[in-house]
Amino acid sequence: MITVAIRRLNLDDPNQETLLDHLDWDRYRILPNTAGSKTADEAVFTARLAREVTGSNWIKVEVIPDAKYLLPDPVGTYEASKRLIAEGFVVLPYIHADPVLAMRLEDIGCATVMPLGSPIGSGRGVLTSEEIQIIIEQSSVPVVVDAGLGVPSDASLVMEMGADCVLVNTAIAQAGDPGAMGEAFKLGVEAGRMAYQAGRIPIREQASPSSPTAGVAVAAGRSG
């Protein structure tokens, strides 16, 4: 699946190629997003445009009024999501790792929730692990961790927690070797998912012997 910022495509000239012309639509699902929208109204407008351009009713909702930290607006995201669901869109909202908001979005019919690990493009990894864990625990829709992942071990970490998938851009696109980094992220996701399915050992406050203790011979002390 590839997400595309519709507002950042030049759609004024129908003869000019865009990113959409270079994607294999038979191989990938195109997920338009509303990046660049600062309000719910702008997000709804962009989603409608995206449906006209791509023919898809899937939309990743992003409402981000703050240009410095690029944190999503919870109120605007909720409002836009509710309106778009009423118009028949399959809504995938990008949110802060807020368990309460995630539940509210699920309640109105969002197809998934997409909590951030850390700010977009920061590469700071998973700073919201406790909140993401709660979201995973409470959600009955897929949880996609989006934004801030910097290295494959970040992806592996959230997959080990039980996330359904991750969305990665900057960590791969701006790597020294994007192809190799993309492959590394693939392996990180696969390893994390396999570990989650295998079941990790409990975390304990005290040490626990890794070798059997029953039947171990005890050396007798020498008297004398």
Side-chain angles (χ1 to χ4, degrees), residues 59-200:
I59 191 72
K60 179 189 176 192
V61 171
E62 299 185 24
V63 180
I64 302 176
D66 174 35
K68 181 176 182 180
Y69 295 106
L70 300 179
L71 295 175
D73 174 4
V75 176
T77 300
Y78 181 88
E79 291 178 353
S81 297
K82 189 173 184 178
R83 291 166 59 183
L84 290 170
I85 290 168
E87 294 185 18
F89 282 89
V90 177
V91 175
L92 296 81
Y94 168 64
I95 62 172
H96 201 291
D98 180 344
V100 176
L101 176 61
M103 290 180 64
R104 296 291 181 266
L105 289 167
E106 180 179 336
D107 288 343
I108 63 173
C110 287
T112 183
V113 288
M114 307 180 73
L116 58 81
S118 55
I120 294 174
S122 68
R124 297 174 66 188
V126 187
L127 302 183
T128 55
S129 58
E130 292 184 2
E131 292 81 3
I132 288 175
Q133 186 71 69
I134 295 171
I135 292 172
I136 292 171
E137 177 187 328
Q138 294 181 341
S139 295
S140 58
V141 296
V143 176
V144 182
V145 177
D146 177 18
L149 305 185
V151 288
S153 56
D154 295 332
S156 186
L157 172 62
V158 296
M159 295 301 292
E160 288 172 12
M161 292 164 58
D164 293 278
C165 61
V166 298
L167 195 153
V168 185
N169 180 10
T170 308
I172 295 174
Q174 295 186 8
D177 185 338
M181 186 61 78
E183 182 67 22
F185 263 93
K186 174 187 174 183
L187 296 174
V189 167
E190 291 175 346
R193 182 61 179 173
M194 187 179 296
Y196 172 74
Q197 292 176 326
R200 64 156 295 140

Side-chain angles (χ1 to χ4, degrees), residues 208-223:
S208 176
S210 58
S211 301
T213 56
V216 175
V218 179
R222 300 181 60 185
S223 60

Side-chain angles (χ1 to χ4, degrees), residues 27-82:
R27 183 178 180 187
Y28 302 107
R29 174 182 284 276
I30 308 303
L31 175 62
N33 66 59
T34 65
S37 300
K38 297 182 179 180
T39 66
D41 287 340
E42 290 181 0
V44 170
F45 171 81
T46 304
R48 292 168 178 165
L49 176 63
R51 184 158 58 182
E52 290 184 14
V53 172
T54 67
S56 172
N57 66 338
W58 284 47
I59 191 72
K60 179 189 176 192
V61 171
E62 299 185 24
V63 180
I64 302 176
D66 174 35
K68 181 176 182 180
Y69 295 106
L70 300 179
L71 295 175
D73 174 4
V75 176
T77 300
Y78 181 88
E79 291 178 353
S81 297
K82 189 173 184 178

